[in-house]
Amino acid sequence: MTSTETRHSENAVSHGACTVADSHFLIPHTTGSFQPADHYVEVRIHLLGQFECELGGVTRELKARKTRALFAWLAMHQGKPQPRTKLANLLWADSGSQQARQSLRQAVADLRRLLGDHDVLEADTERLSIKAGAVTKDIDEFVALANASDEVDLVRASNLYRGELLESEDSRSEPFEEWLGAERLRLAELHQVVLRKLVDSYRHTDLEEAIRYGQKIVSLDPLQGQMHRRLMELFRDAGRPEDAIRQFRNYKQVLNDQLGIEPEAETEALLEEIVSARHGTETRRPEIESSHSVPSGSNELRQVVALAVHARNLGDLALSMDTEDYINRVQSLEDFVRTTCETAGGVIVQANSEIHIALFGLPAVTGNELRRSTEVALAIRDSSDDDLALSLAVATGQVVVNVHGNLQQAQGSVIAQVGQLARSASAGELISPVDVVDGLAHLVEYEPRPENPAADVVCIQRMSEQRKLTPFSGRKLQMQQMGLALQACQDTGLGQTILIRGEAGLGKSRLVLELIDEARSRGYAAARANLSDTTNNNISNLTRLVTRILEFDESVTPEEVNDDDLVRLGLGRGQRSALIDLLDLEMPHELRDFWDAMSDERRQETRRAGLEAIVAHACRENPVLTVIEDLQWAESSILARIGVLASIVADYPMLLVLTTRIDETIDQSAWRGPSQRAPFTTLDLSPMREAEAMELGRHMHDDDDLIRRCFQRSGGNPLFLEQLLRSSEMSRHGIPDSIQSLVEATVYQLPSQDLDAIQAASVLGFEFTSEALDFVLDQEGYSPDALLKHRLIFQSGDKYEFSHALIRESTYQTMLRSRRSALHLRAAEYYKQANRAMFVEHLLAAESENAPTELLAIAREEQQLHRHDRARILVRKGLIASTDEKTRRAFKQLEDNLLTSDPGWEDLAKS
């Protein structure tokens, strides 16, 4: 017995004459009193692929195709009585009502003969149904396994999908075929989700298996460009570059044969990287001729939103209305739909008396197509005349279109999909796949459809006011610990350092934000700094932290640091040079000789005394909470500064909170030495428990099953969980196993200009200004509204910050190396005059041949200014970046000089 079967038997509950388990219903051979389990027979049907029915493990034949269709329909709607009239019209729409009812009775009789005396069917003169749980379906098991995260379950789900729903079945009934087509599409997409999950899972453990599943995907859908690229990457990683090139050629041939277009630019760029790596040089790719630019007049693959309006009762109106009145009525409907859609930017691509379909997002994309199309759909629904029974649907997908030609000739499966959805809706309903509606979760109100609340399609009710942000949930134990630390600091006037550790996405930043709010409510002052993977940024961030504590403007100049400031801070008049050094300002000419003449020991004492005066000043009226996030990015000299600060706060009412990733190795000796005597607490964050995840999820969804599924996929990671619940790509493309894929799904749904912007911002760093972003984008006045709306970034004063470091890192990693290099060169040009250190950082990232020379010049300047920690970092970077021996010798000589001069903060931390 499998573990699943064991679980079912353990959870079984007796109810009279039957035993109900999680997903199996065992049917007694005889009715009446309760019988032991071995007297029961399982009824199971296979709907994926060829129809099969099993009774007690024995296959039973059901010859009549309409009876098979009836059994499948009832099994798919178990426990929900179906009106006989509805079933007759569903399967015998072309017959008269009396003949249809007779045919239905005959099919029910055939079904009863198949099932024998097993108590499965419930029937009266008006309704038919299969008892809830009475029939086990492979579809139910497939869907459950497809939503799992375990590799074994995903393989089982893939094996269960033997083919499309009721493969080769032809009911010869249009209403049933429309329903069947929509269900086939839904399950086929879920199958694609399973295969993509397996590719993502096996790429870390078994490249050949990942390739096999990837090839299965493209065999089912040859136009999947993203999977063709993934296969090229897998072949490359498996040491099979020839197969990667062959994969590109196959994809190119498919696009040319079916669509008459060339592969995407990113596919071509990947090929170029593979070919270059294969030959060990950055050469042009051989034997491949293609252009990255799309010639004017050629087709393009574009993302659109499709809206369908279906007039359900025109046939009835034709019978009840005068012919001329009917024609006028049809024309009036068409004019109304066309005018309403086109006014909002839609393009009508299909129009007849029964259905109208419009596409939004052509020829230009504005980013609000989903909202505009939904508003149009609601307007049409609410303005229709009483005699019309309209059903509407909204869906998203890709179409092939010549954006410079006739937009009405756009083609794509989304057009057929939205038409099927509209036909399946009831009169007065506007329906949409739930993953599409999730993109408007803060703007619309929707609910499950009453007749099928578990379906992936929901009914949109109305537009709503924007919802509030998700309240803080979970982490109550950690907040209580933090609260005790805050209270102890207030009561004793003594501080401590708290290090919060946790894997990426476990909620360190959210916990810190909640702590800051709590501290301020208790009368604390609070200041916060974020470190990044850029050394110069880290020094600047710590400097800004100091200026905030000292109540200085961040743009303070050396000349503005005057004697009044020294008195205010409790520093002696001779300590102006120390304060200027702590503010990381250039030493004025009149103080340079004085600062240079100090001994190393004296400079160290002055730096520490100045830092302690700053802490004392900050705590003069209220206790202070100081937060420094992401220590994993800090160089040893930065850690040394923080270590000195940790040793100081122990004697003052200041709580120093630090965060770092738990999986990063930090040199403890670089900063813990001076703070050994000070109170120090390490707080390790673990994944959320299910109860905490449910609390968080219920602020966003009222579907507990959805929250549990997302919780299981997230591994208890709150960032993953929140993104999964928000992601508009969740149902359609599956939930990836890493935040990298999750962020890609969010980022790549952006319009092209916003995608360009978020990528450019990721090059600039965790924090950036509008001016820098405009320069790198080479455009003026870019508005990041879409990025703010998607919560990829947030505004902090006159700057913008990524809402999470992972979003920035993942976005950065989605770009091709060539694009990253080009953006880094633009950023270097921006910083060339204003900040030479940042200028060189970007030159290094762009792998510019000028970077080592520029780096050497700046390192020498830092040495002259006694900023030896900066100089040493720059020397280490220069030794890595230098390729010629002459430059390397210059860096080595500078490194030797630094070893015999001012040790700076590192020695201070060890003293």
Side-chain angles (χ1 to χ4, degrees), residues 536-564:
N536 192 71
N537 274 350
N538 288 340
I539 293 177
S540 299
N541 288 341
L542 291 180
T543 300
R544 280 197 292 272
L545 188 69
V546 171
T547 59
R548 290 165 190 164
I549 291 175
L550 295 181
E551 300 171 359
F552 276 116
D553 187 277
E554 291 185 12
S555 61
V556 62
T557 64
E559 293 72 25
E560 292 172 336
V561 181
N562 53 43
D563 290 345
D564 292 338

Side-chain angles (χ1 to χ4, degrees), residues 18 32 63 117 190 214 247 254 376 453-454 461 476 483 506 634 662 666 701 738 769 780 811 836 884:
C18 60
K63 294 183 178 180
D117 58 353
L190 188 56
Q247 188 70 41
V254 168
V376 167
Q461 303 297 319
K476 293 181 179 178
L506 277 184
I662 201 167
I666 295 180
H701 286 276
S738 68
T769 64
E780 187 175 350
T811 302
R836 290 192 63 199
D884 66 283

Side-chain angles (χ1 to χ4, degrees), residues 651-726:
D651 297 320
Y652 295 90
M654 176 179 285
L655 196 64
L656 175 62
V657 175
L658 313 170
T659 74
T660 186
R661 294 184 189 172
I662 201 167
D663 56 351
E664 297 288 338
T665 302
I666 295 180
D667 182 8
Q668 297 283 337
S669 63
W671 70 289
R672 284 291 286 122
S675 60
Q676 287 294 337
R677 67 182 182 84
F680 185 91
T681 302
T682 299
L683 187 62
D684 286 339
L685 294 188
S686 58
M688 298 182 81
R689 299 178 178 87
E690 182 172 351
E692 295 174 320
M694 295 301 294
E695 180 186 357
L696 170 63
R698 284 171 182 149
H699 292 301
M700 305 172 66
H701 286 276
D702 54 9
D703 184 342
D704 283 3
D705 290 337
L706 172 64
I707 299 170
R708 286 192 183 93
R709 291 199 301 271
C710 290
F711 166 69
Q712 291 167 358
R713 293 293 289 148
S714 71
N717 185 304
L719 175 66
F720 289 15
L721 174 62
E722 185 170 347
Q723 289 291 327
L724 294 181
L725 290 171
R726 292 190 188 282

Side-chain angles (χ1 to χ4, degrees), residues 51 53 58-64 68 114:
F51 177 94
C53 176
V58 179
T59 301
R60 301 290 297 273
E61 186 176 8
L62 195 57
K63 294 183 178 180
R68 292 195 296 268
L114 172 77

Side-chain angles (χ1 to χ4, degrees), residues 160-464:
L160 275 172
Y161 194 87
R162 303 175 304 158
E164 66 179 6
L165 177 64
L166 297 176
E167 193 173 67
S168 304
E169 289 286 343
D170 180 11
S171 68
R172 299 182 184 177
S173 172
E174 185 177 352
F176 184 86
E177 290 300 320
E178 289 180 356
W179 169 80
L180 184 60
E183 287 298 302
R184 282 174 174 171
L185 180 64
R186 178 178 70 88
L187 293 168
E189 289 179 343
L190 188 56
H191 180 226
Q192 291 268 337
V193 167
V194 170
L195 296 177
R196 278 192 292 271
K197 288 180 180 179
L198 286 169
V199 171
D200 289 343
S201 178
Y202 276 119
R203 69 174 178 170
H204 302 297
T205 57
D206 191 336
L207 285 174
E208 295 304 320
E209 277 297 283
I211 289 170
R212 184 171 72 86
Y213 283 109
Q215 289 174 326
K216 192 170 184 178
I217 291 175
V218 297
S219 70
L220 295 170
D221 185 357
L223 296 177
Q224 287 232 11
Q226 185 177 7
M227 188 50 62
H228 281 283
R229 289 192 293 277
R230 177 60 60 82
L231 278 169
M232 291 169 66
E233 293 170 344
L234 292 171
F235 281 129
R236 175 199 63 195
D237 296 342
R240 297 161 60 183
E242 294 84 3
D243 289 331
I245 296 172
R246 189 176 298 110
Q247 188 70 41
F248 173 86
R249 288 171 174 161
N250 292 340
Y251 178 47
K252 181 179 180 181
Q253 188 66 45
V254 168
L255 289 179
N256 184 60
D257 292 345
Q258 297 191 26
L259 304 175
I261 62 175
E262 293 291 329
E264 303 87 347
E266 54 263 45
T267 309
E268 298 251 16
L270 175 60
L271 175 71
E272 184 173 359
E273 288 186 358
I274 292 172
V275 171
S276 298
R278 181 190 182 201
H279 292 287
T281 178
E282 294 290 336
T283 60
R284 63 179 179 87
R285 56 184 186 279
E287 303 176 2
I288 301 293
E289 294 182 3
S290 178
S291 173
H292 289 186
S293 61
V294 181
S296 178
S298 64
N299 289 335
E300 294 182 20
L301 197 62
R302 301 292 292 269
Q303 188 76 16
V304 298
V305 180
L307 163 63
V309 181
H310 174 47
R312 305 181 59 85
N313 64 334
L314 284 182
D316 295 336
L317 290 179
L319 297 175
S320 62
M321 295 179 67
D322 174 77
T323 301
E324 185 176 0
D325 291 340
Y326 172 74
I327 293 174
N328 291 335
R329 189 71 191 83
V330 171
Q331 187 62 50
S332 175
L333 172 63
E334 181 176 347
D335 292 343
F336 173 63
V337 172
R338 181 179 297 276
T339 301
T340 307
C341 290
E342 291 182 349
T343 300
V347 177
I348 300 293
V349 295
Q350 184 174 330
N352 56 49
S353 59
E354 178 201 12
I355 196 161
H356 299 74
I357 297 178
L359 302 181
F360 294 78
L362 298 175
V365 180
T366 62
N368 64 347
E369 284 75 20
L370 187 55
R371 175 175 179 170
R372 282 191 287 118
S373 61
T374 305
E375 289 174 339
V376 167
L378 290 170
I380 293 173
R381 183 199 66 181
D382 297 340
S383 302
S384 63
D385 295 337
D386 293 337
D387 62 339
L388 275 177
L390 299 183
S391 56
L392 305 93
V394 172
T396 60
Q398 291 182 319
V399 295
V400 177
V401 63
N402 182 343
V403 294
H404 304 290
N406 188 351
L407 300 178
Q408 296 177 358
Q409 294 179 354
Q411 298 180 16
S413 61
V414 67
I415 298 175
Q417 179 196 9
V418 77
Q420 290 175 342
L421 283 172
R423 290 185 179 97
S424 69
S426 302
E429 278 191 330
L430 167 59
I431 67 173
S432 178
V434 65
D435 56 329
V436 174
V437 176
D438 278 344
L440 289 173
H442 61 297
L443 294 174
V444 300
E445 296 177 8
Y446 62 90
E447 59 186 31
R449 302 181 70 200
E451 63 272 23
N452 195 359
D456 291 333
V457 176
V458 296
C459 185
I460 299 174
Q461 303 297 319
R462 63 188 64 84
M463 303 300 289
S464 67

